[in-house]
Amino acid sequence: MLYNGAMRKDGKDNKFKPVYTFVSDSYTTDEENAGAKRDALYANYATTTGYYGMKMCNYEVVSNGSLVSSRSYPLMRYAEFVLGAAEALNEILPAPDEEVYGWLISIRRRAGIKSGTDGLYGLKANMTQDEMREAIYQERRVELALEGNHRYNDIRRWKEGTKYLSGFKHGIEWRKKTDGTFTSYSIEVRRYTFDERTYVWPIPRVEIVKMPQMIQNPV
């Protein structure tokens, strides 16, 4: 496991906490709809997966009040620049150096992750280039979650569509038992098949007309 100091006992990254919520969390009022015969997952306003996004939510806006918020939505994140620098530098070095580590540490420190006894903020020491690449991929997945199409575009440019975008999308179903506690179940929501042709966009025909030697991307 690449992260050793930032993982919770259940194996989840601590940085996910402010990103997602689900029925059993205290952040949602859906508990009132979860019962032995009725689950909030199947309410009219529920998501298909049972998970709800919390990122960028304005907690001053209440469900029975105005939905208008003056909170601005970021167009470009500082973390995106930092992670891009770390990824680029890691690709040109035989092994990640202190600067690559420093970029990731700066992001994880800002997120409130503890430094740990080794001061690496949960990162593995002496990583190879491949290990650091996977660490950067994971950091982008968590840090930029639910922000535009970062995850989808990352998967496409890394050519990992078959790995991550094929198969079943899973959700979580929570049911409240008679004693008031919750039990969760993993459910299969929808099956996806990734087409590798979508790694690239088609070249506009007007450009091919200008240069007949140009070969159209697979479509």
Side-chain angles (χ1 to χ4, degrees):
M1 183 176 294
L2 294 180
Y3 300 95
N4 50 45
M7 303 298 290
R8 301 191 330 217
K9 292 182 179 180
D10 58 7
K12 298 177 182 177
D13 195 306
N14 281 324
K15 290 176 68 178
F16 267 133
K17 184 61 179 176
V19 178
Y20 296 101
T21 186
F22 40 79
V23 171
S24 72
D25 273 354
S26 59
Y27 297 102
T28 175
T29 59
D30 286 342
E31 288 187 11
E32 62 190 46
N33 292 319
K37 295 183 179 180
R38 182 183 180 190
D39 193 284
L41 178 63
Y42 305 107
N44 292 333
Y45 52 82
T47 65
T48 58
T49 61
Y51 288 97
Y52 297 80
M54 294 175 59
K55 204 168 193 178
M56 305 300 177
C57 287
N58 187 341
Y59 298 107
E60 295 179 355
V61 177
V62 295
S63 59
N64 61 348
S66 173
L67 298 180
V68 177
S69 173
S70 59
R71 181 172 180 176
S72 300
Y73 190 87
L75 297 179
M76 184 66 71
R77 291 258 267 104
Y78 171 71
E80 188 177 352
F81 286 100
V82 172
L83 292 171
E87 183 177 349
L89 185 56
N90 184 62
E91 292 300 323
I92 64 175
L93 296 175
D97 61 5
E98 292 183 0
E99 186 174 0
V100 178
Y101 270 92
W103 288 125
L104 263 67
I105 286 174
S106 68
I107 294 297
R108 298 176 69 76
R109 182 193 299 120
R110 191 179 67 153
I113 293 175
K114 303 299 183 183
S115 62
T117 56
D118 56 4
L120 293 179
Y121 290 80
L123 295 171
K124 178 182 175 181
N126 302 316
M127 280 191 273
T128 64
Q129 183 191 54
D130 289 339
E131 289 176 325
M132 177 57 77
R133 182 184 297 117
E134 290 301 317
I136 294 170
Y137 286 4
Q138 171 67 7
E139 202 66 36
R140 287 187 64 88
R141 173 176 174 247
V142 179
E143 179 67 29
L144 302 174
L146 301 186
E147 297 183 35
N149 294 320
H150 284 298
R151 179 62 176 165
Y152 176 68
N153 289 328
D154 280 347
I155 289 173
R156 286 179 61 242
R157 70 185 179 87
W158 294 332
K159 299 295 190 297
E160 293 190 332
T162 304
K163 178 180 179 180
Y164 291 109
L165 299 178
S166 289
F168 281 101
K169 178 174 71 173
H170 289 81
I172 187 170
E173 178 178 355
W174 288 84
R175 289 192 176 274
K176 182 181 289 186
K177 297 189 294 186
T178 55
D179 61 0
T181 60
F182 284 87
T183 301
S184 63
Y185 304 89
S186 176
I187 59 173
E188 294 178 346
V189 178
R190 183 180 299 173
R191 184 179 182 87
Y192 291 90
T193 301
F194 181 80
D195 190 335
E196 293 189 1
R197 292 180 297 178
T198 60
Y199 279 137
V200 293
W201 296 109
I203 301 173
R205 187 175 186 278
V206 65
E207 299 301 326
I208 295 179
V209 171
K210 295 177 184 177
M211 187 180 296
Q213 294 87 351
M214 185 179 297
I215 300 175
Q216 177 61 273
N217 286 328
V219 294

